[in-house]
Amino acid sequence: MADEILEKVHELSDVELAALICLVTQEHCIVDTEPYAIDDTLQELELIAAKVFGLSHAVIDCSEHTSLDDFAHAILSVDGSPGRSASPVRTRQDSYFLQSQAFQPITRSPQAESFAENKTIANIIIAKNLDEAPKQVQIQALELLRTKRIYVRSSVHHAPKRFLFIALLAGGEGPRLTKHLNEHMFISHFHDPDDGFPNIEEAYGDGDSISSVVRKSPRIHTEASLMPRISAEDIEQLSGLSDLCTVTIEVKQYQQNIIAFLRLHRAVAGGISPVATKHFDKLMQCLAPLHGLTYIYLHRIYIVKSEQERSMQWGSDVDAIAALLDGVGPDEVIEDVLGSSGAEVPL
């Protein structure tokens, strides 16, 4: 790998690195954060799309009232432009569906239909609070990820070659999306607000408050999108290096041990799926050129209910099991499996 590409990669923030990994592997991800920081994280992701990768993006703010039409029209970007507005950063008072006639389920004029047909799916789609959307909307999101196309009334829109879907969630632990959509997500990453928002800080200046309620949207100069920090050529080169990665039998054995021990862990419900195993293998190959950078898949781990824990089959006391599992989450399971000196049997 060219030293300049490696240097650029090592300068990325945690969220930027998560996005890069997914772009290299052509997969999708979940970004989790604290509820009070979800709007800052959203704006950071928008700036990352425009400034770091120079890609168009679209945002959909999901709720229990989001309809299929709302979702379909919100993910489109006009003529492949860098964003859905002049600036990729919006104020907190924006409403994508409730206040905008463009997303109301009303009869559209022929001009509106023609306008929709001239739009394309954005390179990066950020679905805020996707876990709050109705099940049918999440199923439509799954179909988009699987087929890379979406139907909008009389037209079909295809996703671009460089396509990333980010589910931005907050305030929870473990799987929160529908089962099959959750299974299709490549990695999940929790962004601690204490780690900062470097692109927002750069856009507003160090003197401005990151937690302000309403901001004046800064404009991203065209040059910022035309000269991204990570170019399409950089991503292609990293993807090629990942494909050329050769895994030794010792590393493969260690990987399979981790998966086996996760499946056998008494706090894990339903085991670890074959799709998750394939994603783990793909992630390992992607990280090989970026040695020392680790991402995991906490969204894959379902914590078992005390009354369904396997030792209950042999007469264990449910109160004792509940006490044993108290406070155990995906992080604790991962730590228990890996241990302080590598994978250990967690039984």
Side-chain angles (χ1 to χ4, degrees):
M1 181 195 297
D3 291 340
E4 56 271 18
I5 298 180
L6 187 60
E7 184 178 347
K8 286 192 287 187
V9 170
H10 286 173
E11 292 175 350
L12 297 177
S13 68
D14 60 329
V15 179
E16 292 168 348
L17 179 59
L20 175 63
I21 288 173
C22 292
L23 287 170
V24 169
T25 57
Q26 298 184 23
E27 297 286 354
H28 313 281
C29 69
I30 296 171
V31 174
D32 206 345
T33 189
E34 299 291 350
Y36 69 87
I38 190 169
D39 289 310
D40 284 320
T41 306
L42 171 61
Q43 294 187 3
E44 179 74 10
L45 286 169
E46 292 185 273
L47 287 167
I48 287 171
K51 295 177 60 178
V52 178
F53 300 108
L55 299 174
S56 63
H57 70 277
V59 174
I60 174 170
D61 193 348
C62 300
S63 71
E64 59 183 3
H65 303 294
T66 303
S67 69
L68 296 176
D69 277 351
D70 292 338
F71 180 85
H73 285 80
I75 66 175
L76 300 179
S77 178
V78 181
D79 298 327
S81 59
R84 288 180 53 83
S85 65
S87 167
V89 180
R90 301 178 182 84
T91 64
R92 302 293 174 76
Q93 295 179 339
D94 282 352
S95 175
Y96 299 98
F97 306 123
L98 299 181
Q99 300 175 10
S100 176
Q101 295 299 320
F103 300 122
Q104 296 297 327
I106 60 176
T107 303
R108 295 178 176 83
S109 65
Q111 291 84 357
E113 292 294 338
S114 176
F115 178 72
E117 291 177 1
N118 291 332
K119 300 168 80 175
T120 61
I121 297 178
N123 294 103
I124 297 180
I125 297 173
I126 308 168
K128 177 185 173 185
N129 294 323
L130 183 60
D131 53 328
E132 298 180 9
K135 184 177 180 180
Q136 61 267 28
V137 173
Q138 297 192 39
I139 292 174
Q140 187 179 46
L142 173 62
E143 284 302 303
L144 172 63
L145 303 190
R146 290 181 62 252
T147 64
K148 297 187 183 301
R149 65 175 182 266
I150 193 167
Y151 296 90
V152 181
R153 295 191 179 268
S154 61
S155 59
V156 180
H157 297 272
H158 294 270
K161 177 182 178 182
R162 210 164 304 286
F163 177 56
L164 169 59
F165 187 97
I166 301 174
L168 177 58
L169 312 180
E173 186 177 80
R176 280 161 285 161
L177 303 175
T178 57
K179 181 178 179 181
H180 294 293
L181 176 59
N182 186 78
E183 192 65 25
H184 210 78
M185 293 297 183
F186 184 56
I187 59 173
S188 60
H189 173 65
F190 179 82
H191 177 67
D192 190 338
D194 292 338
D195 292 336
F197 304 92
N199 289 284
I200 295 180
E201 292 167 2
E202 180 182 348
Y204 290 102
D206 296 335
D208 292 337
S209 172
I210 295 301
S211 59
S212 59
V213 176
V214 178
R215 301 194 185 97
K216 183 179 179 181
S217 298
R219 294 186 176 274
I220 301 301
H221 296 293
T222 305
E223 293 80 3
S225 297
L226 295 178
M227 300 182 62
R229 286 159 52 192
I230 303 294
S231 66
E233 291 74 18
D234 294 336
I235 295 174
E236 287 293 340
Q237 185 169 356
L238 289 171
S239 180
L241 289 171
S242 298
D243 294 338
L244 294 174
C245 175
T246 301
V247 182
T248 65
I249 188 62
E250 292 82 9
V251 173
K252 190 68 174 179
Q253 180 184 13
Y254 183 76
Q255 175 196 359
Q256 293 301 319
N257 284 343
I258 293 174
I259 295 169
F261 297 160
L262 282 171
R263 286 174 173 159
L264 292 173
H265 198 286
R266 67 188 308 168
V268 176
I272 302 298
S273 70
V275 174
T277 302
K278 289 184 178 180
H279 281 173
F280 190 23
D281 186 61
K282 195 172 185 179
L283 174 62
M284 182 176 63
Q285 289 190 264
C286 175
L287 290 174
L290 315 175
H291 180 65
L293 306 176
T294 59
Y295 277 71
I296 53 181
Y297 53 6
L298 296 178
H299 68 291
R300 306 281 190 181
I301 300 175
Y302 293 80
I303 300 301
V304 70
K305 297 180 180 178
S306 55
E307 59 270 16
Q308 296 176 343
E309 195 272 333
R310 67 169 62 94
S311 68
M312 291 294 295
Q313 302 176 66
W314 298 284
S316 294
D317 182 72
V318 66
D319 293 330
I321 296 299
L324 179 67
L325 296 178
D326 184 39
V328 175
D331 285 299
E332 287 73 24
V333 171
I334 292 288
E335 183 63 29
D336 196 15
V337 167
L338 295 181
S340 58
S341 59
E344 301 174 352
V345 179
L347 300 177

